[in-house]
Amino acid sequence: SRNALHEAAKLVTSFSKVETAKVFRLVREQKKWVWQTGFEIKCLKGKRIGSGSFRDCFEIAISDFGRLPNGRYVIKTWNDKAAETLQNDFEIPKKHEDVLQELSRRAVQCQNVACGLATEFKNAVNDKKEFGTFLRAYIIEYDNTNCTLEERIDGVYTKYINNNMILLNAQSEYGPKCSALAHFSYNFSERKLILSDLQGSEEVLTDPEIASFYRYDTDNKGSLLYGIGNYGNESLDNFKVEHECSKYCMLAGLVPL
C-alpha cells in the first residue's frame, strides 16, 4: 500500500513519487541459469548515495517483500560511459535500451557466479565464520530503463581489490580475505577466470567483475564475456605477480601461485 511505502521511506530521505517497477530474478534450474518472469513492485526512489566509473547508486524503498528478502534496497543505474564502452566491446544491438538491458544482465550474472564461488570458498575452509558472501542482485525495469536492484550495504563501503587485481587494503582484515577468495576462484575454475573488483563492507560484498582467460566468446560472434570490467589475461597475469598468500589461502588448501 502507499502507506506501507511511506513507512518504509522513513528509513531513508528525499524520496520522489511512488512508481511501479518490474523485477526479474536469475535462478539456477536443472543446471542452467534461467531468467524468471518479472513481477511488479511499488517503489519510491530516493537520493543518490554513491557513484562509480559506470554506475550511480540511489536509495529505494519497496512496498512488497513477498518475493524479495526483507531489507533496505538500492538501485544502480548506468551512465553514458558504460553504454559507450559496451557498444564498443560487445556485439549487441545499438539501441540504447538494449545496451542497458545487456549491461544489467551481465552485472547480475557476474554477481550470481560470485555468489556460487563464495559458497564453494566457504565450504573449502575450516572456519566458515571467517568469510563473507555476495549480495543477490536483480534486474529492475524502472522509469523506462533497465538497472539493477540489491539490498543496501550498511557500514563503510570499501574497495579491496580493483580490476587490475591490485590489493588496496592489505592492512585490513578483509583485504587479504578478498585476495584469498580471488585465488580460490582462479583455482576452482581451473585457471580460466578470476573474481576481480572486490568491494563492499567488511564481510558483505557486491558488484564484482570477472576476468577470464578467454576474454571473447567465439560461439557468440566474438562478444566480450562477462562484464565491461573483464580485463582478461591482464588481470590474471597481474594477480600472479601481486598476490601474496595469507592464512586464508592456507585455510582453503590453496598453494602459492
Side-chain angles (χ1 to χ4, degrees), residues 77-89:
T77 61
W78 301 99
N79 60 28
D80 291 339
K81 180 182 176 182
E84 291 170 4
T85 300
L86 188 71
Q87 287 177 332
N88 290 335
D89 288 342

Side-chain angles (χ1 to χ4, degrees), residues 1-13:
S1 70
R2 190 180 182 91
N3 287 338
L5 275 168
H6 285 290
E7 285 299 315
K10 291 178 182 178
L11 296 173
V12 285
T13 57

Side-chain angles (χ1 to χ4, degrees), residues 158-249:
T158 305
K159 180 166 289 200
Y160 301 109
I161 296 177
N162 64 16
N163 282 342
N164 290 316
M165 303 309 299
I166 306 299
L167 180 59
L168 303 177
N169 285 273
Q171 303 306 315
S172 75
E173 175 185 0
Y174 303 102
K177 286 183 179 181
C178 286
S179 190
L181 173 57
H183 186 175
F184 178 83
S185 70
Y186 184 58
N187 277 30
F188 189 81
S189 67
E190 298 179 345
R191 304 194 172 199
K192 293 177 181 176
L193 61 81
I194 193 167
L195 291 177
S196 65
D197 204 24
L198 299 179
Q199 56 201 302
S201 179
E202 298 183 351
E203 301 287 357
V204 183
L205 303 174
T206 188
D207 208 15
E209 294 286 357
I210 293 175
S212 58
F213 181 80
Y214 297 104
R215 192 165 182 244
Y216 293 93
D217 184 0
T218 56
D219 295 330
N220 187 24
K221 299 181 181 180
S223 64
L224 188 66
L225 290 167
Y226 302 108
I228 50 180
N230 183 358
Y231 287 9
N233 279 318
E234 179 182 344
S235 294
L236 297 173
D237 291 341
N238 284 347
F239 187 71
K240 294 173 189 176
V241 174
E242 295 289 336
H243 178 67
E244 294 183 7
C245 282
S246 66
K247 65 178 182 180
Y248 305 112
C249 295

Side-chain angles (χ1 to χ4, degrees), residues 44-134:
L44 285 165
K45 181 182 175 184
K47 66 180 181 180
R48 184 169 63 183
I49 56 175
S51 295
S53 298
F54 297 118
R55 297 209 268 180
D56 296 315
C57 182
F58 296 86
E59 296 173 311
I60 190 169
I62 65 176
S63 62
D64 182 5
F65 294 107
R67 283 167 286 190
L68 291 171
N70 291 333
R72 300 168 66 186
Y73 282 79
V74 296
I75 58 172
K76 295 180 178 179
T77 61
W78 301 99
N79 60 28
D80 291 339
K81 180 182 176 182
E84 291 170 4
T85 300
L86 188 71
Q87 287 177 332
N88 290 335
D89 288 342
F90 291 66
E91 293 292 334
I92 65 168
K94 299 299 184 182
K95 193 167 65 172
H96 189 67
E97 292 80 4
D98 292 334
V99 173
L100 298 182
Q101 183 182 63
E102 187 68 15
L103 281 165
S104 298
R105 281 178 174 269
R106 288 172 183 267
V108 172
Q109 288 165 352
C110 283
Q111 197 129 328
N112 274 272
V113 170
C115 284
L117 287 168
T119 298
E120 294 291 343
F121 188 32
K122 287 182 180 181
N123 292 337
V125 301
N126 295 321
D127 184 358
K128 296 182 181 180
K129 294 181 181 179
E130 290 281 1
F131 301 96
T133 190
F134 285 88

